[in-house]
C-alpha cells in the first residue's frame, strides 16, 4: 500500500517542513526552543489513533536518535512520546541546557490518560517542549523560576479540562551525545498527587530539580584527558640539579615522544625507561620539568 501511494504521480505534492538542524550563533536559547516547537507544530498532532513511529523506552539514546531522523525524513504527524525523542535530537549540542522527561497520569470519566513532555532547564529558568491536543499542555517557554512552578502550571491546565492528576514522574538529564548507549531515565522521581499537599509537592520537585542540575554538571565535566595533573611525587630516584625549572605544556611533552614516554613510565612507578636503545641512552633530567595542562 505504501509503495502504491509513493509511486502514484497523480497525488498532490505535500510540502515537507524543514527541520531546524542548525542555528545562528547569535540566536538565543529561548528563540531556538521556540523555533523547534514551531517545527513540531508544523508536523501537526497525530489524531489518527495509529502511532507512525515505534518508540521503545528501553532502547539506548543512539537507537532513539535514529528514530528521530526517520521522523524528520517522513514528516508525519507525531504524538507526545515521539515529540520527546525529536526534541532531544534537535537540542543535542546546546551546552548548558538540561533536558529531562516529565510525565503525567490523569483520570477523566473513569478513563486514565498519560502524557509526557520534555522538560528544559537553562540559565536558571525552566520550560518544556512537547505535543498535545491542547496548547497549554505542550510547549512552555523558559520563564519559570523553578521546576515546581512549571509542574503547577501543567496541573492548572489539566484542571481546566476536568482532568484529575494522579501521578507525576520526572526523570534525569539526557545525554547530549547522539551516539551514547545510555538509557533515558524516565521516572526517577514518582509522586502520587493525592498523598501530597501543594507545599510538599513543590518541596519534592525542587529537591529533584537540584539533582538534575548537579548531574548535568557532572556529565559536562566528563572530559577524556590522558593526564589531568603531573606532579613530582612518589619515590623517584632522579638526581637533583641546580638548573632552572622549565614549564612545559602537554603539547610540548607530546611532541618529544622519548622524554614524554620516559616521564610516563617513571610516573607509573617503573623507575626507569625500558624501551629502545635510543631511549636508554638518553639522560633526561626530569626533575627540571613541570607539566602544565
Amino acid at each position: 500500500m505504501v509503495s502504491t501511494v509513493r509511486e502514484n504521480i497523480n497525488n498532490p505534492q505535500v510540502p515537507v517542513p524543514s527541520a531546524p538542524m542548525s542555528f545562528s550563533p547569535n540566536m538565543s536559547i529561548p528563540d531556538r526552543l521556540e523555533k523547534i516547537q514551531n517545527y513540531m507544530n508544523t508536523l501537526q498532532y497525530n489524531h489518527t489513533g495509529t502511532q507512525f513511529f515505534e518508540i521503545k523506552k528501553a532502547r539506548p539514546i543512539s537507537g532513539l536518535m535514529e528514530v528521530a531522523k526517520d521522523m524528520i525524513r517522513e514528516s508525519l504527524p507525531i504524538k507526545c512520546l515521539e515529540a520527546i525523542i525529536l526534541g532531544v535530537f534537535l537540542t543535542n549540542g546546546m551546552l548548558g541546557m538540561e533536558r529531562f522527561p516529565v510525565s503525567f497520569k490523569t483520570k477523566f470519566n473513569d478513563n486514565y490518560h498519560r502524557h509526557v513532555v520534555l522538560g528544559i532547564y537553562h540559565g536558571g529558568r525552566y520550560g518544556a517542549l512537547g505535543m498535545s491536543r491542547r496548547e497549554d499542555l505542550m510547549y512552555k517557554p523558559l520563564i519559570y523560576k523553578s521546576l515546581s512552578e512549571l509542574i503547577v502550571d501543567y496541573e492548572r491546565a489539566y484542571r481546566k479540562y476536568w482532568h484529575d492528576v494522579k501521578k507525576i514522574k520526572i526523570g534525569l538529564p539526557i545525554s547530549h551525545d547522539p551516539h551514547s548507549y545510555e538509557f533515558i531515565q524516565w521516572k526517577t522521581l514518582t509522586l502520587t498527587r493525592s498523598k501530597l499537599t501543594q507545599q510538599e509537592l513543590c518541596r519534592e520537585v525542587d529537591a529533584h530539580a537540584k539533582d538534575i542540575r548537579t548531574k548535568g554538571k557532572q556529565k559536562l565535566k566528563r572530559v577524556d584527558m590522558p593526564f589531568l595533573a603531573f606532579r613530582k611525587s612518589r619515590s623517584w630516584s632522579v638526581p637533583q640539579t641546580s638548573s632552572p625549572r622549565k614549564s612545559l605544556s602537554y603539547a610540548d611533552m607530546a611532541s618529544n615522544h622519548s622524554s614524554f614516554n620516559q616521564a610516563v613510565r617513571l610516573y607509573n612507578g617503573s623507575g626507569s625507561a625500558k624501551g629502545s636503545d635510543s631511549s636508554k641512552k638518553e639522560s633526561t633530567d626530569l626533575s627540571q620539568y613541570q607539566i602544565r595542562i
Side-chain angles (χ1 to χ4, degrees), residues 77-243:
I78 59 176
K79 291 187 177 182
C80 60
L81 186 57
E82 296 159 303
I84 294 292
I85 306 305
L86 185 57
V88 170
F89 179 78
L90 294 175
T91 55
N92 276 337
M94 297 184 186
L95 298 182
M97 176 193 297
E98 303 302 337
R99 300 86 44 85
F100 51 92
V102 180
S103 57
F104 301 90
K105 180 182 179 181
T106 61
K107 185 178 181 181
F108 176 73
N109 287 344
D110 296 330
N111 294 322
Y112 289 94
H113 303 267
R114 289 171 175 81
H115 180 52
V116 63
V117 296
L118 183 64
I120 303 291
Y121 170 78
H122 177 76
R125 292 291 186 270
Y126 292 86
L129 294 172
M131 288 292 290
S132 174
R133 295 180 178 89
R134 307 291 185 178
E135 291 186 359
D136 47 2
L137 288 175
M138 39 191 277
Y139 171 67
K140 300 289 183 181
L142 283 173
I143 59 174
Y144 299 90
K145 297 180 180 179
S146 65
L147 182 56
S148 61
E149 186 179 345
L150 175 66
I151 299 300
V152 169
D153 189 53
Y154 275 110
E155 281 193 317
R156 189 181 302 113
Y158 270 118
R159 285 195 295 268
K160 287 173 52 180
Y161 307 113
W162 305 97
H163 276 246
D164 184 18
V165 178
K166 294 297 183 181
K167 287 188 177 182
I168 301 172
K169 300 177 182 179
I170 307 175
L172 289 177
I174 302 172
S175 172
H176 281 265
D177 182 7
H179 307 291
S180 173
Y181 286 97
E182 295 181 12
F183 299 93
I184 296 178
Q185 303 297 322
W186 295 92
K187 49 181 180 180
T188 307
L189 176 66
T190 301
L191 302 173
T192 303
R193 192 63 185 90
S194 59
K195 297 181 180 179
L196 298 171
T197 63
Q198 188 79 356
Q199 186 177 4
E200 292 172 340
L201 173 71
C202 294
R203 184 169 59 249
E204 292 287 342
V205 170
D206 289 336
H208 184 71
K210 185 177 181 181
D211 292 339
I212 291 175
R213 297 192 300 270
T214 302
K215 292 185 181 298
K217 291 179 181 178
Q218 291 175 352
K219 287 186 177 182
L220 189 61
K221 291 180 180 179
R222 291 177 186 173
V223 180
D224 293 331
M225 298 226 9
F227 291 95
L228 294 179
F230 184 91
R231 299 176 181 175
K232 194 179 75 170
S233 60
R234 303 187 180 185
S235 56
W236 290 0
S237 58
V238 180
Q240 299 293 328
T241 63
S242 59
S243 59

